[in-house]
Amino acid sequence: MMTGLIPNTVFYIISGVLVLGVLIGLSLMSKPKTARAGNALSAASAVIAIAVTMYNYEILTAPFIWGAIAVGIVFSLIIIFKVKMIQMPQLVALLNGFGGLSSALVAVLSHRQAEDKFSSYAALIALVIGFVTFTGSLVAAGKLAKLLPQKPVVVKGHTAIIVITLILTVLAVIVDADLWVVALLAAEFGIMFSIRVGGADMPITISLLNSLSGVAGGIAGIAVGDVMLVAIGGIVGASGLLLTQIMCKAMNRKLINILLGSTSVKAVKETAPEADAEEAATEAETEEEPEAEAEAQETEEEKSELTPSEILGNVSKVIIIPGYGMALAQAQSKVKMLADKLEEKGADVKFAIHPVAGRMPGHMNVLLCEVDVPYDKLYEMDVINPEFADCDAVIVVGANDVINPAANTAEGTPIYGMPVLDAAAAKNVIICNFDENPGYAGVPNPLYKMDNTLLLLGDAKETVQTLIDSF
């Protein structure tokens, strides 16, 4: 434990109170009505923790530290005014990376000043996790910003390269190799791990990197002997890991498979052509009797003539499914207007939120909150799925993978086995998507061809406005 101006016992007590403030803040953030207060409490606790640490170690008046803080404030203000909501996923990934880099820098300095083997090894481990987080997050941000290919990138011998790199990294830590050797190996591992993660697994990747940034900070705290940094890092690491587990469960994924890239590799090697995917997704339908097929054809012809006004003119129950396309078009305000108008006509309107819709955990919740959609109208997948069968109309705005029935039938694709919203069970489905191309996972969606579906292709702002004007 590093010694400072504050007696150790008092510093422990202060640290405990501030850590408790962060925990209470996190608890408040789990409820929509208290989320802002929780965020403010956690932020205030973190600011006080920084001030107490600076005072304790006599750096409160250090010009360099205040200069760095000033640069950080300016950078943050630029982000506030320049970064759009649509860019939030890549920003979150980037901030995770900065967290990992800061821990790595602390680890470098603490390793050079380490007085015992324990502190030295702790610093090396923090360095490894910090650089894995940093480079992995940069790749994730690059994919989300479309600066890098969004689909999985798999090189020859990819798994072997990752395994060998991991073994060499562990050996480098054990033998206390040069810091730059350790850093380069860790950086390579982060890149090779993230580059082959496909779009369907990106929300899980972001939450995992968030967890790793906390773990890196906690171990860096062990290296420098700062109990407060250990505790805060542990909280971030644990909460990020819990979120990762929740996301894995929501996608019916195993974390080890994502870490090894097995789902992404399948996406590259085994993705079926569009016809094959649709055939697999509709296999049960093709087994119907000829008479039933003829009736279905007639129904399809009738439904193809239906207009939005005919579908929405007399509905009592509507479910709206938002997706990344809504974020891309910044159409959330139009969606709110549509929901309000439907409710004015007497319809019961609910929003179905898939846990991995968008590019980061809670992406759709944030966008809808921005336009004041009440949180009690947002329903999780497990709760809303049984209601689709009794629904008069489903309105899909920019969603694809999360409503793709091929997830239940198209083996070998990156979304196979992933629980999806059962939009196909509704009486009518209106899809407002930019085009008919596959979603981020690259799997064709047979829902587009079903006889209860009406496609409105184009910019979501315009197509949703068409729905608003239709009745």
Side-chain angles (χ1 to χ4, degrees), residues 349-421:
V349 180
K350 296 181 179 179
F351 289 81
I353 308 298
H354 194 285
V356 297
R359 296 294 181 268
M360 67 178 184
H363 197 179
M364 296 301 104
N365 304 66
V366 173
L367 292 174
L368 294 173
C369 178
E370 183 186 21
V371 293
D372 298 322
V373 173
Y375 254 81
D376 58 6
K377 292 187 180 296
L378 308 185
Y379 291 82
E380 295 181 1
M381 177 175 57
D382 293 340
V383 176
I384 199 72
N385 257 353
E387 299 190 27
F388 281 104
D390 299 324
C391 180
D392 296 310
V394 168
I395 301 173
V396 179
V397 185
N400 195 324
D401 294 330
V402 299
I403 58 168
N404 193 341
N408 301 317
T409 55
E411 296 186 28
T413 63
I415 63 171
Y416 179 67
M418 182 182 84
V420 294
L421 293 165

Side-chain angles (χ1 to χ4, degrees), residues 52-73:
V52 169
T53 301
M54 291 176 66
Y55 171 77
N56 188 43
Y57 300 124
E58 300 181 74
I59 55 175
L60 195 59
T61 58
F64 176 78
I65 297 295
W66 284 107
I69 291 174
V71 171
I73 290 174

Side-chain angles (χ1 to χ4, degrees), residues 173-185:
V173 171
I174 292 175
V175 302
D176 199 2
D178 185 84
L179 289 177
W180 293 113
V181 173
V182 177
L184 287 173
L185 287 170

Side-chain angles (χ1 to χ4, degrees), residues 8-9 35 75 79 95 114 157 190 210 242 252 271 282 297 311 322 359:
N8 285 350
T9 303
F75 183 70
I79 289 176
L95 292 176
N210 175 259
L242 286 172
N252 195 26
T271 298
T282 58
Q297 257 188 344
I311 295 175
R359 296 294 181 268

